Amino acid sequence: MTDVKATPERSGGAKDTVTITVDGKQIEAKPGELLIQAAEEGGVYIPRFCWHKRMDPVGACRMCLVDVEGSPPIPGTQSRRPQTACTTVVREGMVVHTQFTSDEANEAQKTILELLLINHPLDCPICDRGGECPLQDQTQDYGPAESRYTQQKRRYVKPVPISPLINLDRERCILCYRCTRFCEELSGDVLISTMQRGPEAFIFPFYKDPETNGHDAAVRGPLSGDINETFDSYFSGNTVQICPVGALTSTGYRFKARPWDMQNTESVCNLCASGCSIYAGVRVQDGNVARINAATNEDTNEEWLCDKGRYGNEYISSSERITQPWLRRDDALVPITWDEAFRELADKLAPVLAGDSDAGMIVGGHLCDEDYYAAQKFARVVLRTNNIDFRTEPGPSADAVVAPGVTYDDVLGSDLVVVVGTDLREELPLLFLRMRIAASKRGLPIALVHPRAVSLSEHAQLHVRALPGAVPQEITQALRGKERPIVLLGSRACSSEAVAAWNATGARIAWLPRRAGVTGALASGAHPDLLPGWRRITDDGDAADIANAWHVPVPAKAGLDVPGMLAAASSDLGVLWLVGADLSDVPGGNEALDKARYVVVQDVQNCSAVDHADLILPAATFVERDGTLTDWEGRRQQVNAAVDPPGSARADYAILAEAARRLGRPIGCRTHVQVKDELDGLLDGRTSIGAATQRAPEPPRNSDGLRLLTYRLLYDDGARLRASEGIRELTPRPFAEINTADAERLHVTDGANVKIASARGSITVSAKVTDKIAEGVVFVPWSQWGVGGHQLVSWDDQNPTLVVEAVS
Amino acid sequence: MAEETLVVLKRREMSEPWSFQTFVDSGGYQAIRKAVTEMTPEEVIKLVQDSGLRGRGGAGMGTGLKWSLIPKDSPKARYVVCNGDEGEPGAFHDRELMETDPHALIEGMLCAAYAIGARHCFIYCRGEFILARDRLAKAIQEAYDNNYLGENIMGTTFSCDMVLHRGAGAYICGEETALLESLEGYRGMPRPRPPFPVTEGLYASPTVVNNVQSLQAAGQVILNGAEWYRRWGTEKSPGTLVCSVSGAVNNPRNVEVPLGTSVADVLELCGGVDDRGLKAFAPGGWSTPMLPPDKLDATMDYEGMVAAGSVLGASSIIAVPNDMCIVRAVWRGSKFYSHESCGKCTPCREGTYWVERILEDIEHGRADERDLERLEAVNNGMSGFKSLCALAEFAAGPVGSSIVHFREEYEEHIRLKACPHQMQAVAS
């Protein structure tokens, strides 16, 4: 062939692609790209075990050996040295022969597989990974049909639980180092590593006595009892998902199902507002959700998931589920039919519908957009009230609402991200993970405002240890002159003063709700002062829009917020209706329910509210219904039903729609599509609520005495989490972090019990004396094993002053 | 009769050659003085390139060429690292060089540092070399005390610091990228190359990693000139070479000869083959393919050894005596490689493990004909440059070459279902 034409790239300026030839096929690749990825994008899949596109290449498994023209010769042969496609960078004109066209490459790969299998136990019939195992698949495709290995295989104790969630089978491990690299490069939780070396090498958590290795010639290696520090990482489950064999398995999924018996439904996790795509794997034989895995979503979670999202859903098939309506009769709960339930409702709501009494609705934080929309429409159209609120935790007032708009990409592409008053690893683990990766791999600039040394601190260029509400000058100065500055306000840093002050810096700001449904609740108007589509109830035009859409006037009377409803539950409110709202660790929650006149609990499982319920309505979980969830970015994603709800449980919106119909004031909303369409019409491009009114920033607080800092840890007392045994085991006991200087002054020693009292209440917990927390601040997690900061705060003061004394 | 040519070993017969006084009295620190006061870094590199000095660590890359590959425009710090982790079975010349002439190593490293613009040097000394460690530590202190290390060396603007690091007992850390990992405090496991250390070495910065002998020779080259060095050796392999000789010779020791000297002459310098007679020899340490006695006229240089069917490697001749069971010798060697494999990549980790087991079975009379085929297949499979580093090639060398030259002995083990040498020992 002499017909060589100048390519346009060559005649033009700088080239942004290079052309390589793989198996005779021309492929355009990005300069600097690795051959394995370029080939895959061009349609030639080169087998691999260790290589993972989101981690640095390591060249360990050698499975991706290919023949690259121009490589040095092997002395004494006609062959060239094979090259690993995972460590070879493409160059213009590179000619590559893979296993499809090169005998040498094919033979090399076959050899690697034979070697990988000599010590692999081949216990595929009882291995969780069997059926979706890269080692199985690639052996089938490229490996030898028979093994020539006749000697004894390596033996290890198996499996070893290296955490309550993860089991390790070292015999199956092929030492690809994906798990250890994930921990080193991505999560930063370096809790497992390679021990010993050569054929003796194995992956393990750091263990106490290396001498325990090799005591038994047949079965070797340390046991779980020898582990110094368990593999306690919020992201440990990802190592199971990327393990190319069944060496790492999930305790909760072990022996539950075979991959070919499972139907995977793509959905969105609803355990926080990160917006992670997931697959719910349902074993078709019994209809149970056997496991949750991460699905790939480049916009949000890439392909990762936190352990709460992965392992925190055991409640779905727990015996605590509510599967039918119940009614309290003579102080006992008796099962009833839906028909009876609706009649009871009609009876109890008659005075409300007649306008003689009031009612209120508290909605939880993990419902779908459709549920919030239906609930607020039910409140406003059926109950004729604005008493609807989702803020069982501190949340924004109407003038502090920051409409979403900042995305993951915006954050990761920023030239300064200021994170205010949130410990992201505890609150939005995936946003934390992606920021951590960006910071450690390419130096994403981060500044922090938080009294504690939190997980992002080690990556922060600037860390001002102040309570939420502060707008430190160092930070506002650092923001000056930045091109793409972003300020991320934690869920508790949402006072209108703080929002206004951060707005004034000129940075794009985002408010980070912790709970999955909160952005949807705001967008849908499940807030006493907001209407659907970010409309304000005080704005006459906004209210008229909604009245026109509904053909019903919007109630004029100002609605009550959560503390207002709790206070009125024993007096003005004839009925208090809780939709997926657990009030057990909400200040004043249990007391209010105790005194309430009539309580409707609409929920998926037994919770403390059930003890106070007069009527219980069974709701479907997020894997049992369709809908949409809006994450912290405002990204609305599809939630899909993977299984049927148990018993006669139904989706929240459908319960409300049916109740409205039976009460003679229909709200539509019969199907999720109907609700979605209606909400879509009202959202219609409206993502702005206007800048918050500018006010002077809150003056720095007087630092006399100690102030409380409290927020939820990822593993807390959440009602749904309690069903997940492994996570329960890893859930920290309550504690109080006290600065070293404060502790000295108060004669508090590390590990001793301290009594911590605020104007609202007091608790006794174990003290952690540390410089991780700023002087003058005491950190107590919101709620751990029934004890926590929720017992100390009041609705008006989230950072009350404290009296701390050592308890002898 | 061949004679020894003492260049890097020139101080071996002096009294306390490791002392600062002996060193400076015998022309020490004149090379670095010359380099810093009379030459530009580019001239130093060119001089070493012109001398044709090739790395003595095994790969034989031009020392000056390696220095010239340090990117001129990198904003990062540059480093000089001396690979003193001599671990090749049969090699003990770097140990003698560090023990006898530690200051010559410091001087060679200073020359390299000046040439590439490094401010910091590291000596990675094998952990077991206690005496070498002590003498290097003392020499470094003496050099600091006399302003040959530290700020403004010899009153010039050239400043350089040196750190002595002891290895922790891993053969693999003699592989330069594993050495760098270990020096950084990580597990000693090789890195994928490219990037090569000259662009991304220690702390991801441009780094020259040179062998002890290469650095000491470079110092002499700079002092005496390229032509002086080219008086010895061959066109492509100029200069002298220290060979460690062990096994079936009357006087096992290190000898320094011009490159191109025949193996026979080197053995002669060691008192000749002893009474047991010569069965085979490995020319560059146990990891290089062994050769039969009819290759004794092969020459100790890079090209000569390749022509003879082996490689120069660590220029350490192991003379295998006639009465030694070759299967047993190779099996014992294979235990070393399997033990020393780092475990990072598959062919080496699993291949050395498997080969060791087959060899054990053959030596103990538990193997049949298929096992010999299998041994060859596995040995070929694990090698052929499939691994991340050369350890798998090293492990495969003695196995493959012993089967080529001593196949009957393997077959005899299989036929007898026992080791003939063991049977003889029992019988006599």
Side-chain angles (χ1 to χ4, degrees), chain A residues 278-292:
Chain A
I278 56 168
Y279 280 116
V282 175
R283 185 167 181 266
V284 291
Q285 285 89 337
D286 55 17
N288 278 335
V289 177
R291 70 168 174 200
I292 304 277

Side-chain angles (χ1 to χ4, degrees), chain B residues 20-202:
Chain B
F20 178 74
Q21 207 51 54
T22 309
F23 186 68
V24 291
D25 289 349
S26 54
Y29 290 122
Q30 292 307 311
I32 184 62
R33 186 177 297 278
K34 178 182 168 195
V36 174
T37 56
E38 297 170 23
M39 300 169 77
T40 64
E42 292 73 28
E43 284 166 354
V44 173
I45 293 174
K46 176 145 193 320
L47 175 58
V48 176
Q49 267 182 299
D50 289 346
S51 76
L53 171 64
R54 294 171 67 173
R56 301 290 188 246
M61 182 182 188
T63 303
L65 173 65
K66 195 183 258 185
W67 295 2
S68 74
L69 293 176
I70 293 290
K72 303 277 178 292
D73 51 356
S74 170
K76 293 178 175 176
R78 298 106 194 264
Y79 299 106
V80 173
V81 175
C82 168
N83 184 346
D85 194 47
E86 182 178 56
E88 176 56 32
F92 41 86
H93 41 62
D94 291 350
R95 171 177 167 175
E96 181 171 352
L97 290 169
M98 289 190 284
E99 285 173 358
T100 31
D101 213 348
H103 281 285
L105 178 58
I106 294 170
E107 184 171 26
M109 292 182 75
L110 284 171
C111 292
Y114 176 71
I116 68 160
R119 178 70 174 72
H120 294 276
C121 299
F122 296 84
I123 302 177
Y124 192 102
C125 178
R126 177 170 165 178
E128 292 87 340
F129 290 172
I130 305 295
L131 185 59
R133 188 271 315 264
D134 289 348
R135 287 190 179 158
L136 280 166
K138 186 160 178 285
I140 290 172
Q141 189 53 52
E142 287 170 336
Y144 270 107
D145 293 345
N146 291 282
N147 195 216
Y148 287 107
L149 279 173
E151 300 291 329
N152 303 110
I153 289 172
M154 300 171 297
T156 67
T157 55
F158 176 57
S159 301
C160 190
D161 285 299
M162 193 168 289
V163 174
L164 175 63
H165 180 91
R166 273 181 73 198
Y171 176 62
I172 190 61
C173 290
E175 197 282 335
E176 62 178 7
T177 59
L179 182 150
L180 294 174
E181 284 283 295
S182 169
L183 194 51
E184 287 181 17
Y186 299 104
R187 280 174 71 88
M189 304 208 289
R191 302 171 177 170
R193 291 181 298 183
F196 290 92
V198 285
T199 51
E200 275 185 46
L202 190 63

Side-chain angles (χ1 to χ4, degrees), chain A residues 58 60-62 81-82 111-112 114-116 118-119 148-152 154 174-175 177 194 196-199, chain B residues 169-170 187 192 338-347 349-350 353-354 361 374 377 381 384-388:
Chain A
V58 63
C61 77
R62 318 303 285 178
R81 293 188 186 192
T111 301
I112 299 299
E114 181 176 29
L115 289 169
L116 282 175
I118 65 170
N119 277 305
R148 295 178 289 183
Y149 185 72
T150 54
Q151 282 87 354
Q152 172 71 49
R154 273 195 298 269
I174 57 166
L175 288 164
Y177 309 100
T194 320
Q196 308 296 338
R197 74 179 181 201
Chain B
R187 280 174 71 88
S338 147
H339 182 68
E340 294 295 344
S341 166
C342 78
K344 184 170 182 179
C345 78
T346 310
R349 182 182 67 238
E350 305 298 339
Y353 174 91
W354 193 353
D361 284 352
R374 213 168 272 163
F385 302 92
K386 296 186 187 77
S387 308
L388 198 52

Side-chain angles (χ1 to χ4, degrees), chain B residues 209-231:
Chain B
V209 184
N210 279 147
N211 168 266
V212 176
Q213 199 182 143
S214 318
L215 287 161
Q216 289 186 340
Q220 302 231 20
V221 165
I222 290 163
L223 186 62
N224 301 307
E227 284 314 308
W228 170 82
Y229 195 64
R230 282 188 174 277
R231 288 194 300 179

Side-chain angles (χ1 to χ4, degrees), chain A residues 302-514:
Chain A
E302 292 190 316
E303 59 189 270
W304 314 122
L305 197 58
C306 76
D307 286 3
K308 186 174 182 177
R310 192 182 296 268
Y311 301 127
N313 284 297
E314 288 178 24
Y315 74 93
I316 293 168
S317 22
S318 97
S319 56
E320 296 291 302
R321 285 296 298 276
I322 305 168
T323 56
Q324 64 192 3
W326 296 76
L327 180 66
R328 189 171 300 277
R329 258 187 214 144
D330 308 327
D331 238 20
L333 286 168
V334 291
I336 55 170
T337 63
W338 273 109
D339 208 43
E340 289 167 304
F342 288 127
R343 267 185 274 139
E344 166 75 9
L345 268 179
D347 195 30
K348 284 291 174 302
L349 285 173
V352 178
L353 267 64
D356 297 336
S357 174
D358 225 347
M361 215 170 215
I362 299 176
V363 287
H366 57 271
L367 305 181
C368 291
D369 301 338
E370 291 72 15
D371 304 321
Y372 292 114
Y373 182 79
Q376 63 83 34
K377 192 171 178 188
F378 187 93
R380 288 174 172 132
V381 173
V382 180
L383 306 176
R384 304 258 160 92
T385 176
N386 287 312
N387 295 343
I388 168 107
D389 200 3
F390 71 91
R391 292 170 298 171
T392 57
E393 291 182 3
S397 60
D399 58 1
V401 168
V402 180
V406 174
T407 65
Y408 278 96
D409 283 349
D410 294 336
V411 171
L412 302 176
S414 167
D415 53 358
L416 182 62
V417 188
V418 180
V419 183
V420 182
T422 170
D423 185 349
L424 282 177
R425 200 167 76 118
E426 305 292 341
E427 305 202 29
L428 294 171
L430 250 294
L431 179 58
F432 159 77
L433 182 65
R434 294 206 57 193
M435 285 179 68
R436 190 201 168 275
I437 295 169
S440 68
K441 282 210 189 262
R442 53 181 179 78
L444 173 72
I446 297 172
L448 279 179
V449 183
H450 200 288
R452 275 182 96 200
V454 291
S455 41
L456 267 182
S457 301
E458 62 173 307
H459 300 286
Q461 297 179 341
L462 193 58
H463 183 175
V464 179
R465 294 169 65 146
L467 282 169
V471 183
Q473 248 195 335
E474 300 100 295
I475 307 273
T476 51
Q477 258 159 17
L479 280 166
R480 257 176 233 148
K482 294 289 183 255
E483 286 172 21
R484 301 174 303 281
I486 303 270
V487 174
L488 300 174
L489 300 176
S491 62
R492 282 156 199 276
C494 59
S495 69
S496 51
E497 290 87 353
V499 172
W502 288 109
N503 245 334
T505 64
R508 291 179 68 193
I509 65 172
W511 178 63
L512 303 178
R514 193 181 65 83

